[in-house]
Amino acid sequence: MLQVLETNGDVDKRELYKASREKGCTAYPLKVTLPEIGSPSLLDRVQNRPDVEGSVRLMRKQRMKERGDTVYIPPQAKPSLQSSDNLRFPLMEKVKEFLVSDQKVFLLLGDSGAGKSTFSRELEFDLWQSYKKSGRIPLHISLPTIDKPEYDMIAKQLRRAEFSEEQIREMKHYRKFVLICDGYDESQQTQNLYMSNRLNQHNEWDAQMVISCRTEYLGIDYRERFQPGDRNHAFNQSLYQEAVVAPFTIDQVQAYIHQYVSVHQPIWQTDNYKQALEHIPTLRDLMTNPFLMALSLEVLPRMVDSDQNLTSAHITRVGLYDHFVEHWLERGKKRLGETSLSPQAKSAFENLTDEGFTLNGITYLKNLAVAIYKEQDGHPIVKYSQLVDGKSWKAEFFDTEGKKLLRESCPLKRNGNQHRFIHRSLLEYGLARAVFDPHDKGRSEPSENMGGRRGSISSMLSIESKDRLDQISDTIGQEPNIDSPLVWGTFVKDHSLMQFLAERVLQEPVFKHQLLAYIEHSKKDKKWRKAAANAITILVRAGVQFNGADLKGIRIPRADLSYGTFDSAQLQGADLRKVNLRGVWMRQADLRGAQMTGARFGELPFLTQESQANSCAYSPDGKTLAVGLEDGKINVYATSNWERIRALSGHTSYVCSVSYSPNGSQIASASGDSTARLWNTETGSLPLILSGHTRLVTRVAYSPRGCQVASASADKTVRLWDATTGDCIRTIHGHDRAVLGVAYSPKGLEIASCGVDLTIRLWNAMTGECFRILSGHTGFVQSVAYSPQGDQIASSSRDMTVRLWDAETGACRHVLRGHSGDVNNIAYSPNGEQVASASMDSAVRVWEAESGICRQTLTGYTGVLDIAFAPNGNQIATCSADKKVRLSDVSVEASRSALSGHSSTVCCIRCSPNGDMVATCSVDQTIRLWDSKTGELRRILNGHSDSVFSIAFSPKGKRIVSGSADKSVCLWELETGTCHYTLTGHSDAVQGVAYSSREDVVASAGDDMTVRLWNLSKGECQTTLNGHTGGVRSVTYSPDGQRIASGSKDSTIRIWEAGTGECLQILVGHTGWVRDVVYSPQGNQLASAGYDKIIRLWDVVSGESRATLTGHNDRVTFVTYSQQGDIIASGSWDTTVRLWDVATGKCRTVIGNLVGPFVSVAWNSTSDGLVISGGNGSVLKWKIIHQDGVCRAHLLWSVISGTLALAGASIHNVHGLSINNKRLLKQCGAVGDPETLLRETGKTLVAVASVVSKLKESSAGTGTTSSITDILIKQSEQTEQMD
């Protein structure tokens, strides 16, 4: 009723409403809120029990009062950090489901500032609101504020809330708790708090725990720190759940802005913020983080002039913190100026103001952050008591009047005698600013572009003027700052701090030079080695590349160089002990004499086989690895030194599958000779041959107890055998085509099989009856596996997917997409938390079994046929078509949680017409735009729902068109990154797109065997070109726009009249798919790339093939002309790029020693730059240098996918390499002899390198890969023809 008065026309009534709002309503006598219970009940007093409920309700009242009026948007969460948006769920609902379940621990993960603490407080508030007498008590525990929370943390928190010891004992035995533990990472814990506090054990606290932790704080086996278990530390995964706080969606951002404006009433209005959000590209990513969004909304009016062009504004994370801290200090100064101060405080305030209050505040913040890291190893809580700490380091920050004023004005908060920054990230920011402060006098220079994000050190210096080079040399040559935190601390694993400093590198060239100075001075004096290790880690993280850099003698032990680029770098005599070199690019680097003890490469040496490796399996104790080969042999290796200890011979055809018995005493093998065999692992003898199948045996599996063996066969059956006698116990019929996989459930009660009929069938192991059929795959189902817990089934298929099924209901939980080739095999990790998949796309993917999200992609393989986890879960073995078994260490992680590059195969690469931008598209469903000069990522275009196969710039360079496996063509505005059109009409994947010269028409080529011409003014298809008899893979316009050329799977090229759609010519000559076609700049010639390993040059007028360019030994995927039309570049699956002279048809140079395959090539139209993209997600730019008749390529920048590249690197006399690392480097193409302790070891390595070299030579040019299913198809076709 009062609200109605607000708009009433009567002035007196409006005044009445206003007065009621200001004074509040008088309590109505019959509606009075009863006071909180303040004394124990009569029953409690009779029983002499301490009053608990009264104190609990007082705590409830206090905690709800402390919440205040805050901006809160209910967060969403995902099962994993990499989860897609369609897997989001409301976090509060999920936690409440947990609280009514039997589960005990809910782990809440998220990046710094993701809103974990805000949610924890809101959860507590929500639980207090619904609290009822004697109900569960929500207890919020800020872990960093508790001394040793691993012991008795509930009692410690209750004492802080002023509960008596009697009350605490009473609550321990009679009350239940919901523990909301915030800041596991800030408390620097490594222990399992659930276990160490003995929760839910006999006579201990009865509690459920919700605990939060920053994602980057955790390692590979982090769940062991949180999962509940019994007193014997046997973990129970069923009692545990986790979620990752998801970034804000655009709708959540809009809602937060609306609430923020309503609550805080800032200078800007909602529309101002929305305009900034829409037009400042970098702002969108920052504002998906709640804490950064709060910072952004507060300081944006200071950072951005409302009259400026918002699209030109560039806002960074560190820039936000700069403005936020300065703004906070200015508000503190204003508040103090308006406060009545004591004479001493007033004098101190005046002195601080005269010297510069904000500057003094920043200095205080930096010094406090440094002291916290130096004196407390980064523990964020500072406890200060004048009596106890009056003479300690803490007194410097808390004693004097001036320090007290600065403390009150800084972004700190106080709880009793405990002081901390209002957010952990501000502590890290303070330390980062202590390392480099852009406002320190004499340090900062104008922030000019000095090569950008990815310009290499060598290339950066080469373009500077002489004066500038002298200035840089002076900076690097000066003695570095000995007092810098980089000198005394090791911060390579502090990800948030590294991010702040990496952004400073991008903004401040002088900081880059200071870091280079630490590296340079480490060459002369080892006192700088810790600083140098920090410095080079920061530079690598910032994307600085060290191609050709002089790094001789640098000392950088324990640095993290993962995914760094050091092409042709000079590292002679460098101290690289315990350096993380995972995925590093050191092609042709000089490492002679370097110290490399403990260096980590993230993988082990591969095992070269005599023939194609089809299958592999670890023994249950992890001491041996068995490998089944194409030549019918089985090799057994000792995992201690990876020496072959036994070769089992007997099969007369290829070995399809190998498996160890549960006790490790037998190896079962399946073969193309229609038999399965059981081998004695101790002697290598063959006690049993299992005969009965009439066609090849595709898979074998032991029952959990080892008493039975199941075999799957192309004869459409599964047979069960007695492992002791070899007798056939049962033959299971049901599949109507070949059976490709078989697996027992962990309890042995069920058997799963899969096959060519696209199904997975579940059988009763005792009766052989089929009780469920799982359908959904659209290609042959290649393999099937049960999770170790038995609650999930995984299957892999030729449809390029992995499916995860509920073992109890048969429902499909997840469809895992990402592979671009057949998925041949799958394997669960020993703890069941991960599933690894092996694919013909030459990649291995590791997925979260619970969420179905890809955690890791391993590249550098060739047609992966099988995969196996080691029993300890830290290692993966894979079998490949290139006769190699590769061993990957999945326990070594890089400092960066994600790279800026694509996460899967890059399908196409193009340069903008003006040469300033490079565009790439990928199987990962994204299009990425890169700065052509520096390699910096400018923008990511999201919108397609499947792999993006092709892209093309408009002639004016303002738009880009893309074609996708989702059957659509999308038109994008580059300035805004928005999708202008989505054109649909193709009935299959779109493989090629091209713009007409007038920009009014786009041509698209599809696997539906058509080329479609789209009218862009109407957004509709105007013409469909029919004629090809196979999918169309490429389409291009002639320079004058009058002709269209298309290349197809039918091995032909067709020339079409652009206006009428009439087919003018059919060019025949290729014997395989035509993958790419392109016109010369003059328009008189057409080049085509074929899967027949050939490039053909065609006369446009006559249609005749004028030249055939041969040299590639695998399919050629892309071809492109230089701007002048005199050189052609081609990319191939043979991992090389070749440059050809158009006039002579001769190969001028080969860019080799690459980690490929490289599938797309494009010329930069304004320079001699060549950009190439790879099947492993890499993007590289090269400078093509013509000198004295010689053509050579120099790497300018690269975005690498993480594949180790060491071809041509010199490792002569390198010290400290383990035997395995020596083998690995040799296998990767490194040259020279490392230091060896034994002469014979050196001889062995030389022999291994020689064998590898010969194998490479013998396998070159074959280009053939045969999986078991390929062989099966051929046999099936022959059988069907006979029938």
Side-chain angles (χ1 to χ4, degrees):
M1 183 182 72
L2 287 175
Q3 291 178 350
V4 175
L5 299 178
E6 182 180 13
T7 57
N8 196 289
D10 191 316
V11 176
D12 293 335
K13 292 181 179 179
R14 289 203 303 270
E15 290 297 324
L16 174 63
Y17 170 74
K18 183 177 179 181
S20 68
R21 293 275 293 183
E22 292 175 352
K23 299 179 182 179
C25 300
T26 304
Y28 185 61
L30 299 181
K31 194 175 181 181
V32 179
T33 303
L34 293 175
E36 299 283 356
I37 297 175
S39 59
S41 67
L42 178 61
L43 179 63
D44 287 342
R45 282 181 286 182
V46 169
Q47 294 179 341
N48 197 29
R49 292 173 61 180
D51 171 31
V52 169
E53 190 61 33
S55 297
V56 168
R57 289 186 175 273
L58 289 174
M59 180 170 69
R60 172 183 181 270
K61 183 177 182 180
Q62 177 63 28
R63 293 298 295 170
M64 294 185 70
K65 180 180 178 181
E66 290 175 1
R67 177 181 181 268
D69 192 7
T70 61
V71 179
Y72 176 75
I73 300 297
Q76 293 181 320
K78 303 189 288 186
S80 170
L81 189 64
Q82 296 84 10
S83 299
S84 60
D85 287 342
N86 61 3
L87 292 176
R88 289 171 177 258
F89 49 80
L91 179 58
M92 186 66 79
E93 290 182 16
K94 180 66 70 172
V95 172
K96 288 185 176 180
E97 289 175 11
F98 158 79
L99 292 176
V100 297
S101 72
D102 294 329
Q103 293 180 316
K104 299 302 180 184
V105 175
F106 190 104
L107 173 61
L108 181 60
L109 298 170
D111 293 335
S112 176
K116 302 181 296 298
S117 297
T118 302
F119 174 79
S120 296
R121 291 190 294 269
E122 192 66 22
L123 174 62
E124 181 200 18
F125 176 76
D126 188 273
L127 294 177
W128 275 128
Q129 277 190 314
S130 59
Y131 175 79
K132 295 180 180 179
K133 182 179 179 181
S134 300
R136 289 188 300 178
I137 300 172
L139 189 63
H140 185 279
I141 304 176
S142 178
L143 292 174
T145 66
I146 301 294
D147 184 36
K148 296 182 180 180
E150 59 269 29
Y151 303 113
D152 211 20
M153 69 174 173
I154 299 178
K156 291 175 181 176
Q157 180 65 24
L158 292 174
R159 292 186 190 107
R160 288 167 55 86
E162 299 183 353
F163 283 83
S164 68
E165 295 302 317
E166 292 80 5
Q167 289 175 315
I168 292 173
R169 283 194 295 271
E170 176 76 10
M171 297 166 80
K172 183 173 183 178
H173 290 100
Y174 297 105
R175 300 301 295 268
K176 296 181 180 181
F177 287 82
V178 175
L179 304 182
I180 306 169
C181 302
D182 188 34
Y184 180 87
D185 54 294
E186 293 187 52
S187 66
Q188 299 179 325
Q189 276 295 314
T190 58
Q191 293 203 41
N192 186 319
L193 297 182
Y194 182 93
M195 299 294 292
S196 64
N197 280 275
R198 301 172 59 82
L199 299 182
N200 299 305
Q201 295 187 24
H202 183 63
N203 288 330
E204 297 293 342
W205 297 94
D206 186 338
Q208 284 180 290
M209 176 188 288
V210 178
I211 184 168
S212 69
C213 182
R214 286 202 291 184
T215 310
E216 60 265 27
Y217 182 73
L218 303 175
I220 292 287
D221 299 321
Y222 68 90
R223 289 187 177 92
E224 294 181 0
R225 302 188 191 181
F226 302 99
Q227 284 183 350
D230 57 29
R231 61 182 61 198
N232 296 319
H233 292 272
F235 296 114
N236 189 339
Q237 188 177 353
S238 65
L239 300 178
Y240 168 84
Q241 188 178 164
E242 68 178 53
V244 179
V245 181
F248 271 0
T249 64
I250 188 63
D251 290 337
Q252 287 176 302
V253 170
Q254 302 278 17
Y256 192 100
I257 291 173
H258 182 76
Q259 271 197 39
Y260 179 85
V261 171
S262 176
V263 171
H264 296 286
Q265 299 182 348
I267 299 173
W268 276 14
Q269 298 302 308
T270 302
D271 288 343
N272 299 113
Y273 287 114
K274 288 183 177 179
Q275 287 180 9
L277 183 65
E278 181 179 353
H279 293 100
I280 303 176
T282 54
L283 187 60
R284 298 175 204 171
D285 293 335
L286 291 170
M287 291 184 73
T288 59
N289 179 293
F291 184 71
L292 290 181
M293 181 162 63
L295 263 63
S296 301
L297 298 181
E298 183 160 346
V299 302
L300 267 175
R302 294 164 49 91
M303 297 180 69
V304 178
D305 188 343
S306 58
D307 296 330
Q308 79 177 87
N309 180 10
L310 294 178
T311 58
S312 64
H314 185 73
I315 294 176
T316 63
R317 178 172 177 257
V318 72
L320 284 175
Y321 278 77
D322 286 340
H323 283 272
F324 174 78
V325 168
E326 291 172 14
H327 181 51
W328 188 288
L329 288 167
E330 288 170 7
R331 283 192 315 188
K333 174 187 174 183
K334 182 180 179 181
R335 184 177 64 252
L336 290 174
E338 296 171 350
T339 303
S340 177
L341 301 173
S342 67
Q344 297 90 339
K346 185 175 182 180
S347 176
F349 177 69
E350 291 173 352
N351 290 334
L352 290 172
T353 303
D354 291 342
E355 297 171 0
F357 189 88
T358 301
L359 180 61
N360 273 295
I362 291 173
T363 302
Y364 178 90
L365 179 144
K366 292 191 299 183
N367 292 340
L368 179 58
V370 169
I372 289 173
Y373 270 90
K374 196 168 188 177
E375 304 293 341
Q376 299 188 163
D377 197 26
H379 186 76
I381 306 295
V382 179
K383 297 179 181 178
Y384 178 74
S385 166
Q386 188 172 19
L387 182 63
V388 177
D389 303 304
K391 296 184 179 180
S392 72
W393 64 270
K394 302 175 185 178
E396 178 185 349
F397 302 96
F398 297 95
D399 256 6
T400 66
E401 286 293 337
K403 299 299 183 183
K404 291 178 182 178
L405 295 177
L406 292 174
R407 186 192 70 220
E408 292 172 3
S409 301
C410 276
L412 301 167
K413 58 184 177 181
R414 177 179 178 178
N415 185 7
N417 69 339
Q418 295 185 345
H419 305 264
R420 65 185 301 182
F421 285 90
I422 62 172
H423 194 268
R424 168 80 190 196
S425 60
L426 282 162
L427 169 61
E428 295 152 343
Y429 165 81
L431 184 66
R433 192 151 181 176
V435 172
F436 180 85
D437 190 336
H439 299 304
D440 279 358
K441 186 175 291 187
R443 281 177 128 187
S444 184
E445 299 176 14
S447 297
E448 55 188 287
N449 187 348
M450 297 199 54
R453 181 176 185 271
R454 294 190 177 272
S456 69
I457 298 298
S458 56
S459 62
M460 179 187 74
L461 298 182
S462 65
I463 62 173
E464 298 292 338
S465 66
K466 184 179 184 303
D467 291 342
R468 185 64 177 161
L469 281 171
D470 291 340
Q471 187 178 2
I472 294 171
S473 299
D474 290 343
T475 301
I476 296 176
Q478 293 173 359
E479 179 84 359
N481 178 16
I482 192 66
D483 297 321
S484 170
L486 297 182
V487 177
W488 50 259
T490 299
F491 305 110
V492 296
K493 294 184 179 180
D494 195 324
H495 305 292
S496 182
L497 175 64
M498 289 288 111
Q499 184 180 352
F500 279 123
L501 294 172
E503 288 188 7
R504 285 286 190 222
V505 169
L506 304 180
Q507 294 177 348
E508 302 287 343
V510 68
F511 182 42
K512 180 191 291 185
H513 303 144
Q514 289 175 2
L515 295 176
L516 291 173
Y518 284 118
I519 299 171
E520 184 68 25
H521 279 74
S522 74
K523 298 177 180 179
K524 306 171 186 176
D525 193 334
K526 66 181 182 180
K527 73 179 180 182
W528 301 109
R529 62 187 178 185
K530 191 174 288 187
N534 287 320
I536 201 165
T537 300
I538 295 165
L539 291 169
V540 168
R541 177 140 188 173
V544 174
Q545 302 191 359
F546 292 83
N547 301 324
D550 180 4
L551 302 174
K552 291 190 289 288
I554 64 170
R555 294 180 172 96
I556 53 169
R558 299 181 185 274
D560 188 346
L561 307 186
S562 54
Y563 306 114
T565 306
F566 296 82
D567 193 77
S568 302
Q570 303 300 303
L571 285 156
Q572 300 95 312
D575 182 355
L576 305 178
R577 290 173 297 168
K578 297 186 178 181
V579 170
N580 186 353
L581 296 168
R582 186 186 188 109
V584 74
W585 182 287
M586 282 187 170
R587 178 179 165 274
Q588 297 181 342
D590 193 338
L591 292 158
R592 288 176 296 171
Q595 295 279 351
M596 299 188 72
T597 304
R600 295 163 292 156
F601 295 94
E603 56 188 273
L604 296 173
F606 56 77
L607 309 175
T608 302
Q609 308 301 310
E610 299 88 341
S611 61
Q612 178 173 291
N614 292 329
S615 180
C616 60
Y618 282 93
S619 62
D621 60 8
K623 293 182 179 180
T624 59
L625 177 77
V627 182
L629 304 179
E630 186 75 9
D631 63 9
K633 295 179 182 178
I634 301 168
N635 286 333
V636 182
Y637 293 85
T639 58
S640 58
N641 56 12
W642 294 108
E643 295 292 337
R644 188 172 70 177
I645 58 175
R646 187 166 286 113
L648 309 179
S649 299
H651 282 297
T652 58
S653 185
Y654 47 87
V655 178
C656 305
S657 171
V658 291
S659 177
Y660 274 90
S661 63
N663 63 9
S665 64
Q666 280 185 343
I667 294 175
S669 59
S671 171
D673 62 10
S674 303
T675 70
R677 299 182 181 229
L678 306 183
W679 311 80
N680 185 298
T681 55
E682 189 67 28
T683 64
S685 62
L686 176 61
L688 295 172
I689 299 177
L690 312 182
S691 300
H693 285 294
T694 58
R695 297 187 63 188
L696 70 93
V697 184
T698 56
R699 191 82 58 177
V700 285
Y702 276 94
S703 63
R705 295 175 60 186
C707 57
Q708 286 185 4
V709 173
S711 60
S713 171
D715 66 9
K716 309 177 187 178
T717 69
V718 173
R719 287 178 177 252
L720 307 184
W721 312 81
D722 187 295
T724 303
T725 66
D727 295 335
C728 181
I729 302 170
R730 180 173 289 106
T731 301
I732 299 176
H733 299 272
H735 286 283
D736 56 16
R737 298 188 69 182
V739 187
L740 301 179
V742 66
Y744 276 93
S745 66
K747 293 182 179 179
L749 302 178
E750 300 172 8
I751 293 173
S753 62
C754 62
V756 177
D757 61 6
L758 315 186
T759 68
I760 299 106
R761 293 173 182 258
L762 305 184
W763 314 84
N764 184 305
M766 301 300 294
T767 66
E769 294 180 0
C770 179
F771 63 87
R772 184 170 289 118
I773 299 176
L774 310 181
S775 300
H777 282 295
T778 58
F780 298 175
V781 187
Q782 310 258 65
S783 65
V784 63
Y786 276 92
S787 66
Q789 294 76 25
D791 61 336
Q792 193 180 78
I793 296 171
S795 59
S796 68
S797 170
R798 277 205 160 192
D799 63 10
M800 300 186 289
T801 71
V802 174
R803 286 179 177 252
L804 303 181
W805 312 81
D806 187 296
E808 183 176 352
T809 65
C812 182
R813 291 180 179 177
H814 301 290
V815 180
L816 315 184
R817 305 181 190 276
H819 284 295
S820 58
D822 302 350
V823 187
N824 291 321
N825 226 312
I826 46 174
Y828 276 95
S829 61
N831 60 12
E833 294 177 359
Q834 298 171 335
V835 177
S837 56
S839 171
M840 291 304 293
D841 66 3
S842 302
V844 169
R845 287 177 175 261
V846 182
W847 315 80
E848 287 276 0
E850 180 65 27
S851 65
I853 302 307
C854 183
R855 282 190 58 190
Q856 202 171 359
T857 301
L858 308 176
T859 59
Y861 305 90
T862 303
V864 192
L865 302 176
D866 196 12
I867 189 165
F869 269 98
N872 63 10
N874 291 333
Q875 192 178 94
I876 287 177
T878 57
C879 293
S880 297
D882 59 1
K883 306 179 184 180
K884 295 181 177 66
V885 176
R886 287 180 168 81
L887 307 166
S888 300
D889 184 355
V890 291
S891 66
V892 178
E893 291 190 314
S895 64
R896 283 183 277 187
S897 58
L899 300 174
S900 60
H902 289 286
S903 61
S904 190
T905 300
V906 178
C907 301
C908 184
I909 189 166
R910 292 288 183 258
C911 290
S912 61
N914 63 6
D916 67 342
M917 190 182 300
V918 174
T920 55
C921 64
S922 170
V923 171
D924 67 10
Q925 305 178 14
T926 69
I927 301 159
R928 294 176 185 248
L929 306 178
W930 313 86
D931 187 287
S932 179
K933 183 178 180 181
T934 67
E936 181 179 0
L937 180 65
R938 286 189 180 180
R939 193 186 295 277
I940 300 176
L941 307 181
N942 290 288
H944 283 294
S945 60
D946 209 334
S947 304
V948 188
F949 289 139
S950 56
I951 47 176
F953 279 97
S954 64
K956 295 179 181 178
K958 294 183 178 180
R959 288 181 175 181
I960 199 169
V961 65
S962 59
S964 168
D966 64 12
K967 308 175 189 178
S968 74
V969 176
C970 287
L971 194 68
W972 308 83
E973 296 287 348
L974 293 185
E975 183 175 355
T976 63
T978 56
C979 181
H980 185 64
Y981 275 135
T982 298
L983 310 174
T984 58
H986 281 286
S987 60
D988 208 334
V990 181
Q991 294 283 352
V993 289
Y995 252 104
S996 66
S997 57
R998 295 173 58 183
E999 297 195 0
D1000 57 339
V1001 178
V1002 162
S1004 60
D1007 274 337
D1008 58 5
M1009 299 185 288
T1010 69
V1011 174
R1012 290 176 178 260
L1013 307 183
W1014 305 87
N1015 185 311
L1016 298 185
S1017 62
K1018 298 180 180 180
E1020 61 184 31
C1021 179
Q1022 67 180 28
T1023 309
T1024 301
L1025 311 182
N1026 293 292
H1028 281 294
T1029 58
V1032 188
R1033 308 292 290 184
S1034 178
V1035 65
T1036 185
Y1037 273 92
S1038 61
D1040 61 7
Q1042 300 300 309
R1043 301 286 187 271
I1044 295 172
S1046 58
S1048 169
K1049 290 181 180 180
D1050 63 13
S1051 305
T1052 69
I1053 300 159
R1054 288 181 177 248
I1055 309 298
W1056 313 81
E1057 171 67 46
T1060 65
E1062 178 186 358
C1063 181
L1064 304 176
Q1065 290 175 310
I1066 301 177
L1067 311 183
V1068 179
H1070 283 287
T1071 57
W1073 294 3
V1074 179
R1075 181 61 183 85
D1076 195 22
V1077 289
V1078 61
Y1079 278 96
S1080 65
Q1082 296 77 21
N1084 62 338
Q1085 193 178 76
L1086 186 75
S1088 60
Y1091 275 18
D1092 55 7
K1093 311 174 190 177
I1094 290 173
I1095 300 143
R1096 288 182 177 269
L1097 305 184
W1098 308 82
D1099 183 276
V1100 169
V1101 177
S1102 66
E1104 296 179 357
S1105 177
R1106 295 296 190 185
T1108 301
L1109 312 182
T1110 59
H1112 285 296
N1113 55 36
D1114 205 339
R1115 50 192 141 168
V1116 186
T1117 52
F1118 271 83
V1119 64
T1120 182
Y1121 282 92
S1122 63
Q1123 188 177 17
Q1124 294 75 26
D1126 58 335
I1127 296 176
I1128 284 177
S1130 60
S1132 168
W1133 277 73
D1134 64 7
T1135 73
T1136 68
V1137 172
R1138 289 176 175 258
L1139 302 184
W1140 310 84
D1141 189 293
V1142 173
T1144 65
K1146 293 182 178 180
C1147 180
R1148 297 193 61 180
T1149 192
V1150 179
I1151 304 176
N1153 290 333
L1154 302 176
V1155 180
F1158 282 86
V1159 296
S1160 185
V1161 186
W1163 285 96
N1164 188 306
S1165 60
T1166 59
S1167 68
D1168 286 329
L1170 184 73
V1171 289
I1172 62 179
S1173 64
N1176 62 352
S1178 299
V1179 181
L1180 305 96
K1181 182 176 180 181
W1182 304 79
K1183 173 79 172 178
I1184 306 302
I1185 302 171
H1186 307 271
Q1187 189 174 12
D1188 300 329
V1190 178
C1191 183
R1192 57 189 180 88
H1194 171 68
L1195 182 64
L1196 294 178
W1197 55 259
S1198 65
V1199 181
I1200 58 177
S1201 66
T1203 302
L1204 189 64
L1206 288 159
S1210 176
I1211 56 172
H1212 182 70
N1213 204 33
V1214 166
H1215 305 283
L1217 283 175
S1218 66
I1219 292 175
N1220 280 335
N1221 280 344
K1222 290 174 185 178
R1223 290 178 180 174
L1224 174 66
L1225 298 191
K1226 284 285 188 176
Q1227 291 172 348
C1228 289
V1231 297
D1233 296 322
E1235 180 193 54
T1236 55
L1237 299 178
L1238 297 173
R1239 184 183 301 273
E1240 290 302 315
T1241 304
K1243 290 181 179 179
T1244 301
L1245 290 178
V1246 172
V1248 171
S1250 176
V1251 170
V1252 171
S1253 177
K1254 290 178 181 178
L1255 284 171
K1256 286 182 177 178
E1257 293 173 4
S1258 65
S1259 62
T1262 61
T1264 58
T1265 299
S1266 298
S1267 69
I1268 300 303
T1269 314
D1270 291 324
I1271 297 168
L1272 183 60
I1273 290 172
K1274 293 177 183 177
Q1275 292 189 0
S1276 297
E1277 290 173 348
Q1278 293 170 0
T1279 303
E1280 289 169 3
Q1281 290 173 3
M1282 291 173 64
D1283 292 340

